[in-house]
Amino acid sequence: MAGIDQRSRDKISNPAQLGGIETSVLDNGPGRGNRIAWVNTGAGLRYKVVLDRGMDIAEAFYQQHSLAWLSHGGITTPQPFSNRGLGWLRTFGGGLLTTCGLTHVGGPESDEWGERGLHDTFSNTPAELECITQPDPFTGQLVMSVRGRIRQSQALGTRLELSRTLSSTLGKASLRLRDEIVNRGNTTAPHMLLYHINLGWPLIDEGTRLLWRGSWEAGSESSQLFRPEHDFRTCPAPLDAHAGAGEEVAFINLEADEAGQCQCGVYNETLGLALVIRFYKQQLPWLTNWQHWGKGEYVTGLEPGTHPPMGQAQARATRQLIWLEPGERRVYELEIEVLTDPRALETLFMPYH
């Protein structure tokens, strides 16, 4: 879509007929009071940004098909003091995107540097909404975006600030994320970041293929799924072994193309639908694949990150922890696109040239 011609212009009163962004506040259930923004790309892709949960993304649909996995609890109000043990799971709504970090990614731990709960506090932090840009096809302005600022800080301690922009183009089934993080404090700050992208039924189903290229290692020596002789790239039927907390992960060192970009995704041949995630190797050098095939809790995660979810303590001990100096900035960019064109699907994961 490159704007609208005069013939179409005469038939449209309001650009919202084609797509755009609508904001509202949830008024019922455990998520009551959360500000949200529904983004309609006008190309079949629609997604819900939860402004009070770090501007993460909950539901996402392509046409009639749900793309994301939602936990049983769904959206809840932010709980900024849930950073103890596994308390993060009580507010984990799943969704297309849950951001983990900004100082710790991994399980709960405690050491001389402090106590850290599962995946840190970012996703329980409300954003300060700064700008919403609507598309205007009458003038050729097709980009729509939501921009906000999230502060993860404490007095006399670490002060990290993240500016997030989520954008889409009218007529294209994709979304783009740009995060800029800055250390606003006066001391060096630890930094870890992981984008927990949670995919569910019907996109994820028996036979759906997980697509990525690169070397990998199982997250545990006792892994039953991530073994060279096992086809862990094809989604199975629900597994009794994954009831409750059953799960497995693999850490993947993705190949990048000549521009330094990596891509991974999933392909459901029955639906003729693929979801592709693109990001830069220099920014996000690791991909974690989380598989949790429980009955009634059927999900896989493709999770680009600065680290695998190893935790701050291990990253510190192995000298892999990132340190941000006062005033230092880092930028992260991510794109999620839905593909249905048979020609695009055929060439999606051809070898790089």
Side-chain angles (χ1 to χ4, degrees):
M1 183 182 293
I4 56 176
D5 57 25
Q6 184 61 48
R7 183 179 179 186
S8 301
R9 183 191 304 268
D10 293 340
K11 299 174 183 177
I12 297 173
S13 303
N14 189 320
Q17 282 184 238
L18 302 179
I21 301 172
E22 181 180 23
T23 58
S24 61
V25 177
L26 299 180
D27 70 352
N28 196 15
R32 182 177 181 181
N34 276 286
R35 298 168 298 158
I36 63 171
W38 267 110
V39 182
N40 177 11
T41 66
L45 176 64
R46 309 178 307 284
Y47 56 95
K48 180 195 287 182
V49 181
V50 188
L51 303 174
D52 288 324
R53 296 298 304 267
M55 290 182 63
D56 283 338
I57 300 173
E59 294 97 318
F61 297 88
Y62 181 78
Q63 306 291 17
Q64 75 271 34
H65 303 301
S66 177
L67 305 174
W69 170 76
L70 304 180
S71 75
H72 182 258
I75 298 172
T76 64
T77 55
Q79 302 293 322
F81 303 110
S82 64
N83 193 28
R84 293 290 185 276
L86 296 175
W88 184 88
L89 290 174
R90 295 183 181 276
T91 66
F92 178 40
L96 188 66
L97 171 66
T98 298
T99 306
C100 304
L102 300 168
T103 68
H104 167 71
V105 168
E109 58 185 30
S110 180
D111 55 24
E112 66 269 29
W113 302 99
E115 183 178 356
R116 294 172 291 276
L118 176 66
H119 290 331
D120 216 340
T121 62
F122 183 90
S123 69
N124 275 292
T125 307
E128 176 186 342
L129 183 61
E130 294 185 323
C131 180
I132 293 178
T133 301
Q134 296 284 7
D136 186 355
F138 296 108
T139 64
Q141 165 62 30
L142 302 183
V143 175
M144 62 193 86
S145 64
V146 181
R147 189 179 76 234
R149 193 174 302 272
I150 299 96
R151 295 181 176 90
Q152 186 173 309
S153 65
Q154 68 178 58
L156 311 181
T158 300
R159 295 168 52 197
L160 296 179
E161 182 177 286
L162 184 141
S163 178
R164 169 165 291 182
T165 302
L166 290 165
S167 62
S168 289
T169 300
L170 195 65
K172 295 185 178 180
S174 66
L175 68 90
R176 298 175 297 278
L177 175 148
R178 184 184 189 276
D179 283 347
E180 180 176 323
I181 182 172
V182 59
N183 180 2
R184 295 291 190 191
N186 55 19
T187 59
T188 305
H191 173 48
M192 303 177 77
L193 177 67
L194 181 141
Y195 296 103
H196 212 295
I197 296 171
N198 309 288
L199 306 173
W201 189 88
L203 175 64
I204 302 302
D205 202 352
E206 296 172 42
T208 296
R209 295 285 294 165
L210 302 174
L211 306 172
W212 47 264
R213 290 197 308 278
S215 59
W216 60 275
E217 61 181 81
S220 168
E221 294 182 358
S222 60
S223 174
Q224 297 300 304
L225 292 181
F226 291 105
R227 306 193 312 270
E229 68 275 15
H230 181 73
D231 182 12
F232 52 82
R233 296 179 190 243
T234 301
C235 299
L239 301 176
D240 290 337
H242 283 193
E247 62 179 5
E248 295 199 29
V249 297
F251 308 137
I252 302 158
N253 187 7
L254 283 181
E255 298 177 10
D257 63 16
E258 294 179 354
Q261 191 175 68
C262 301
Q263 65 178 8
C264 61
V266 298
Y267 175 41
N268 185 316
E269 185 175 6
T270 300
L271 298 180
L273 193 64
L275 182 143
V276 184
I277 305 164
R278 303 185 182 93
F279 51 94
Y280 289 99
K281 180 82 170 182
Q282 184 176 11
Q283 298 173 356
L284 300 165
W286 284 98
L287 176 72
T288 298
N289 178 208
W290 172 50
Q291 298 191 11
H292 176 63
W293 307 119
K295 293 180 179 178
E297 202 165 47
Y298 186 83
V299 53
T300 191
L302 291 173
E303 307 166 11
T306 58
H307 305 75
M310 61 172 60
Q312 189 186 117
Q314 182 179 340
R316 189 189 302 267
T318 57
R319 298 180 182 270
Q320 298 179 65
L321 187 60
I322 297 170
W323 293 95
L324 298 178
E325 297 297 327
E328 186 176 354
R329 298 173 182 267
R330 284 201 171 214
V331 172
Y332 301 98
E333 298 162 295
L334 189 74
E335 180 183 24
I336 299 175
E337 183 178 13
V338 177
L339 297 177
T340 57
D341 185 335
R343 292 170 296 179
L345 295 175
E346 286 176 7
T347 61
L348 181 57
F349 285 86
M350 294 290 285
Y352 295 126
H353 298 289

